[in-house]
Amino acid sequence: MSEVRSKRVRQADIASRAGVSVSTVSRVLTNEPGISDAIRQHIFKVASDLGYPVKQAAETMPAALALIASDSVTGGLSVFYEGIVEGLRAEAAERGMPFDIRLVREARTAPDHVREYLQTAGAEGLFLVGIDPSDELRIWLEDSGTPLVLVNGSDSRLRFDGVSPSNFFGAYAATRRLIDAGHRRILHLTGSHRQTILERIRGFEAAIASVEGGEGRLVPLTFRGSATAEAHAATIAALAEDRSFTAAFCMNDFVAVGVLEAVTEAGLRVPDDFAIVGFDDLPCALMTNPRLATMRVDRVAIGREAIGLMTTRFRKREAPARQVCHAVIPVPGGTLPPET
């Protein structure tokens, strides 16, 4: 290396050391497009090691727009999405991605509306946060080549990138916590058209099927009013019909609060007579007596992951779609006996 440094370093020297053609070195050093990131960074490193003066052009990141379902946010889940938005904003700022957010009703996510939102924001990429796109919107997104990341969502045909909690595995683990505590007849209070919630139902059913003598019952909720109030009423009705169920896995902590209120009013001791596990680890889980056992979702990490997926999609428009699932962590609480 000292011999090379003793004379003026040429692009041919860089090419020889890097194992590429001189024309490739020239294109990289003049920041021409069409060279992979791996080759580009390799050549910059070799050039720097040889003492060649290089200046990497600052990457110009396309802008992206996040559409968030106002139906969910204003319906009580704002605390859930606050963390996701925090992660989106922080990671976008760190990566230099121009980023904007807009609250929309799911009914106004037809292709014409989404096209208008993107144009107004001057954005190329789209985040759908808590929104499952309609078939019409999916077709338009595919045909237009619009980079899309589903945040707290997934595409059953894996046509688009997505990031979500590990809903299936999280629900499986939550239900197994109840099974491991000795419960065999378990309620699951749930209700949604969303793919993420359907995955939690499948996780619950798989856990029930994993143990001999296990029996699960779905208690459907409509969410036309307060989730807690509806869960309270549904639990009272379920216990009146069949008192042999001794535990409940709830689709979220708001629902779990309603279940806890109902079984306490029914004269059952928690967790001795009836055990409960929630999901999401929302602030309300800290406010119950006893404290809810639940499953923690790292919402900030999900937001950050979404920005990373979009950054990769901007660079590799034709790459296969990816679905990233973040593990959910069991949180102990007084609604479940101490776990080993």
Side-chain angles (χ1 to χ4, degrees):
M1 183 178 295
S2 60
E3 292 181 1
V4 176
R5 287 187 186 277
S6 66
K7 61 181 181 179
R8 184 173 180 271
V9 178
R10 301 170 304 161
Q11 291 187 3
D13 299 320
I14 300 171
S16 176
R17 179 67 62 85
V20 299
S21 68
V22 175
S23 64
T24 298
V25 172
S26 176
R27 291 174 62 196
V28 167
L29 296 180
T30 55
N31 290 298
E32 291 185 22
I35 305 293
S36 73
D37 263 356
I39 294 295
R40 189 179 297 275
Q41 294 307 318
H42 174 57
I43 290 173
F44 276 130
K45 183 179 186 307
V46 170
S48 179
D49 288 345
L50 291 174
Y52 189 94
V54 297
K55 182 180 180 181
Q56 298 188 42
E59 182 179 12
T60 301
M61 185 79 71
L65 172 68
L67 300 182
I68 303 181
S70 60
D71 318 59
S72 297
V73 171
T74 56
L77 284 174
S78 60
V79 66
F80 182 90
Y81 286 107
E82 281 173 8
I84 290 179
V85 169
E86 178 186 342
L88 286 166
R89 288 192 186 279
E91 191 70 17
E94 289 178 16
R95 291 177 180 259
M97 179 187 294
F99 177 73
D100 200 3
I101 294 176
R102 179 166 184 163
L103 283 176
V104 297
R105 290 183 295 110
E106 283 202 59
R108 289 190 60 81
T109 55
D112 287 347
H113 295 132
V114 172
R115 184 187 300 111
E116 179 184 343
Y117 300 147
L118 288 168
Q119 289 174 349
T120 300
E124 287 187 37
L126 178 67
F127 298 98
L128 292 181
V129 185
I131 297 173
D132 292 330
S134 65
D135 289 340
E136 182 186 19
L137 181 55
R138 290 177 193 271
I139 291 170
W140 178 79
L141 289 166
E142 282 190 289
D143 289 346
S144 65
T146 301
L148 170 68
V149 176
L150 299 171
V151 188
N152 191 37
S154 62
D155 177 25
S156 59
R157 291 174 56 187
L158 202 56
R159 292 162 291 187
F160 305 106
D161 296 319
V163 55
S164 66
S166 53
N167 291 294
F168 175 89
F169 296 107
Y172 184 95
T175 308
R176 283 295 322 191
R177 293 172 72 185
L178 294 166
I179 291 171
D180 293 343
H183 299 278
R184 293 297 180 269
R185 293 175 61 79
I186 303 172
L187 303 173
H188 179 37
L189 286 86
T190 185
S192 174
H193 65 285
R194 297 212 61 221
Q195 182 70 22
T196 53
I197 302 305
L198 297 178
E199 289 170 7
R200 292 184 192 181
I201 292 174
R202 288 193 287 270
F204 168 75
E205 292 173 338
I208 293 294
S210 72
V211 61
E212 185 176 354
E215 181 178 346
R217 176 182 168 188
L218 299 182
V219 179
L221 304 174
T222 63
F223 298 113
R224 291 177 184 148
S226 161
T228 298
E230 187 178 352
H232 176 278
T235 303
I236 293 292
L239 292 177
E241 181 181 335
D242 190 342
R243 192 86 170 202
S244 66
F245 284 91
T246 61
F249 163 50
C250 306
M251 64 171 283
N252 65 37
D253 293 333
F254 293 134
V255 170
V257 170
V259 174
L260 176 59
E261 291 175 347
V263 298
T264 301
E265 289 175 16
L268 298 174
R269 295 171 302 160
V270 178
D272 298 331
D273 301 325
F274 199 96
I276 305 165
V277 175
F279 207 99
D280 292 336
D281 194 26
L282 301 174
C284 64
L286 287 168
M287 303 176 191
T288 61
N289 185 17
R291 187 206 192 283
L292 280 177
T294 185
M295 306 294 291
R296 177 170 297 139
V297 173
D298 190 336
R299 299 180 285 279
V300 173
I302 287 173
R304 285 185 172 275
E305 188 78 59
I307 296 293
L309 285 171
M310 183 63 77
T311 300
T312 301
R313 180 57 52 193
F314 280 149
R315 292 171 177 164
K316 302 176 182 179
R317 302 287 177 120
E318 304 303 321
R322 292 189 296 159
Q323 178 69 35
V324 178
C325 293
H326 278 239
V328 295
I329 309 301
V331 178
T335 59
L336 189 67
E339 301 168 85
T340 58

